[in-house]
């Protein structure tokens, strides 16, 4: 018996419509929902497996998977002990957690320049 | 001791990446039951947050609340939150003891006067001048008065600190009372439960850390984000309740089919807590999932509110009609039942029924 999966699927369909029309999606927080036995599996089955799957290693692993429905991502955050600390379905063209933070890009440029200057200095010295 | 470093700086010093920080903020948002659209605001606030000083006093208690916290759901997240506060005194967790420990408490109270967060677990015995529980020769009563003076807010962790709990149960030999019975001029957040769910304790700390304010509270001083709904409102057996399908004994066909435990004494309808969604033991399950009704441990006087195995009240309307009303009114229905049952519970309390072995063996249906 599954009673909570169908309304969630309707919500996802609405978010997909909005993403297609306005570029703005949204998400469904799974953590803390009173899912009944079978709801979770029913959702997974309805959404299917897509073609992208990524893993982030920060404070424990995070799985980021696009489902068979383009634009619908299933994101599971785990802690160092593999326990789920947060789980959501994101409707977006690319989840924010996958994108590189702007400050990190700036710091990476600085770090590379520093490395290059050390290397060049090394060459001159040698 | 609390220092000048912001939380963002502190986390980066510990080698936590910006993506890791974002993940941390997302988990904090779900912990506080806030929508994920708040994550950027949470991230901005936490990036700049200063570490608040926390003084934790354990009074007449069983250490279960501290155990609950240190057995937390998500060690990385919890330890981050614990690192993010400056726990200046906790006599069970700190390394120092005796005079050194009390000196640390006094120093923190002086340095952060008006700014520290005071966490209390355990009730406060007031009979005979409070002699029944003392720390370093100081009665709990005196220590609470003294420590409360400079506190920005007080978190009463566990049903004992929040409502008196087991020590307060009849006949209450030590005259045990709740923090709020003694301190009247400070904001008090009651994090009830026996013990409280670990993530609820850290969720409150997280809220204070993020927003520097106390969360919105219900009429019993509990954070609405965790105690806003009853166990019954969020129980996965609720469809059976609505259909009038009840287990009558712990091993009948209904029990095996996972039907509602109302008639076996489940206090879910009158109990406001997050067990049904947050769950226990690393998110494994909660008592109703293991086939036992809720005891109502996060409510005042749960120990004196009649037998754990007696149904709250017989539905006044035939079950079918009650279910239709409840279904039409949705959550409001649940709240109405809860209000009704709070009265029933008060009545049971005055009658003070004790649990006998008969209660355990006899299905409540027959007992009536
Ligand atoms: S009475 Fe108890 S078991 Fe039944 S639906 Fe309510 S909380 Fe769940
Ligand atoms: S299910 Fe009820 S008795 Fe059990 S821990 Fe939760 S609130 Fe307390």
């Amino acid at each position: 018996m599954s009673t909570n999966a169908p309304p969630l699927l309707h919500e996802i369909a609405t978010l997909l419509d909005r993403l297609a029309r306005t570029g703005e999606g949204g998400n469904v927080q799974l953590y803390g929902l009173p899912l009944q036995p079978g709801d979770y599996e029913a959702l997974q089955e309805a959404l299917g497996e897509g073609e992208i799957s990524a893993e982030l290693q920060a404070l424990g692993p995070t799985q980021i998977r696009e489902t068979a429905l383009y634009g619908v991502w299933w994101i599971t955050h785990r802690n160092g002990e593999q326990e789920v600390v947060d789980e959501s379905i994101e409707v977006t063209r690319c989840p924010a957690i996958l994108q590189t933070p702007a400050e990190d890009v700036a710091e990476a440029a600085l770090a590379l320049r520093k490395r290059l200057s050390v290397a060049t200095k090394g060459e001159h010295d040698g | 001791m609390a220092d000048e470093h912001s939380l963002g700086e502190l986390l980066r010093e510990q080698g936590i990446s910006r993506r890791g920080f974002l993940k941390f903020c997302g988990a904090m948002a779900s912990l506080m039951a806030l929508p994920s659209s708040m994550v950027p605001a949470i991230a901005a606030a936490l990036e700049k947050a200063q570490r608040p000083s926390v003084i934790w006093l354990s009074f007449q208690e069983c250490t279960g609340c501290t155990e609950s916290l240190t057995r937390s759901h998500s060690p990385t997240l919890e330890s981050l939150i614990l690192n993010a506060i400056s726990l200046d005194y906790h006599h069970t967790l700190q390394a120092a003891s005796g005079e050194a420990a009390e000196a640390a408490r006094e120093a923190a109270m002086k340095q952060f006067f008006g700014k520290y967060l005071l966490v209390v677990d355990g009730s406060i015995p007031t009979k005979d001048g409070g002699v029944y529980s003392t720390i370093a020769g100081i009665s709990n009563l005196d220590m609470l008065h003294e420590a409360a003076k400079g506190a920005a807010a007080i978190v009463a962790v566990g049903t004992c600190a929040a409502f008196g709990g087991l020590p307060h149960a009849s006949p209450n030999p030590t005259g045990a009372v709740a923090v709020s019975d003694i301190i009247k001029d400070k904001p008090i957040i009651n994090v009830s439960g026996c013990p409280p769910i670990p993530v609820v304790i850290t969720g409150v700390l997280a809220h204070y850390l993020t927003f520097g304010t106390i969360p919105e509270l219900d009429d019993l001083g509990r954070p609405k984000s965790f105690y806003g709904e009853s166990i019954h409102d969020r129980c996965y057996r609720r469809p059976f309740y609505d259909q009038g399908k009840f287990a009558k004994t712990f091993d009948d066909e209904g029990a095996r089919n996972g039907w509602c435990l109302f008639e076996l004494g489940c206090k879910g309808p009158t109990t406001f807590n997050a067990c049904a969604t947050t769950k226990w033991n690393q998110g494994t399950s909660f008592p109703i999932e293991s086939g036992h009704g809720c005891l109502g441990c996060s409510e005042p006087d749960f120990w004196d509110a009649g037998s754990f195995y007696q149904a709250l009240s017989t539905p006044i309307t035939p079950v079918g009609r009650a279910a239709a009303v409840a279904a039409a009114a949705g959550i409001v229905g649940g709240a109405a039942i809860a209000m009704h049952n709070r009265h029933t519970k008060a009545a049971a309390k005055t009658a003070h029924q004790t649990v006998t072995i008969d209660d355990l063996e006899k299905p409540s249906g027959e007992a009536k």
Side-chain angles (χ1 to χ4, degrees), chain A residues 27 60 62 83 86 97 104, chain B residues 18-19 23 30 36 73 282:
Chain A
N27 75 20
T62 290
E83 297 155 4
D86 200 6
I97 196 95
D104 283 345
Chain B
R18 289 196 171 85
R19 281 200 185 96
K23 175 170 170 174
S30 13
S36 50
H73 184 51
Q282 288 80 42

Side-chain angles (χ1 to χ4, degrees), chain B residues 213-251:
Chain B
T213 57
I214 64 169
E216 203 191 335
L217 306 176
D218 71 3
D219 59 341
L220 292 173
R222 300 173 297 193
K224 277 191 181 163
S225 49
F226 296 108
Y227 299 88
E229 284 170 340
S230 69
I231 301 290
H232 185 65
D233 285 336
R234 291 249 154 178
C235 178
Y236 74 101
R237 295 195 189 214
R238 180 64 183 269
F240 293 116
Y241 175 93
D242 292 342
Q243 291 160 25
K245 290 183 174 158
F246 300 105
K248 308 276 181 198
T249 68
F250 283 107
D251 58 357

Side-chain angles (χ1 to χ4, degrees), chain A residues 12-118:
Chain A
I12 292 167
T14 311
L15 292 174
L16 270 176
D17 279 343
R18 195 169 77 187
L19 179 65
R21 261 187 302 118
T22 68
E24 194 200 328
N27 75 20
V28 176
Q29 200 74 34
L30 292 179
Y31 190 75
L33 275 188
L35 294 179
Q36 293 187 17
D39 278 345
Y40 191 87
E41 292 72 19
L43 263 183
Q44 270 180 332
E45 204 178 307
L47 296 175
E49 278 288 322
E51 49 192 21
I52 296 182
S53 164
E55 188 169 287
L56 161 74
Q57 288 292 347
L59 298 174
T62 290
Q63 266 94 34
I64 304 139
R65 280 164 300 175
E66 193 172 27
T67 68
L69 288 169
Y70 290 108
V72 179
W73 301 76
W74 193 301
I75 302 178
T76 312
H77 295 287
R78 288 171 200 276
N79 63 18
E81 307 223 318
Q82 307 298 319
E83 297 155 4
V84 176
V85 290
D86 200 6
E87 189 159 40
S88 61
I89 294 173
E90 271 192 44
V91 180
T92 173
R93 291 178 60 198
C94 182
I97 196 95
L98 271 184
Q99 294 169 35
T100 312
E103 298 94 324
D104 283 345
V105 178
E107 281 173 19
L110 276 179
L112 182 57
R113 292 237 178 277
K114 202 164 148 201
R115 223 181 288 166
L116 284 174
S117 76
V118 172

Side-chain angles (χ1 to χ4, degrees), chain B residues 2 63 84 105 130-131 152 209 224 279 318 326 349:
Chain B
T63 316
R105 178 176 58 82
V131 295
L209 199 62
K224 277 191 181 163
K279 307 198 174 172
K349 199 200 145 204

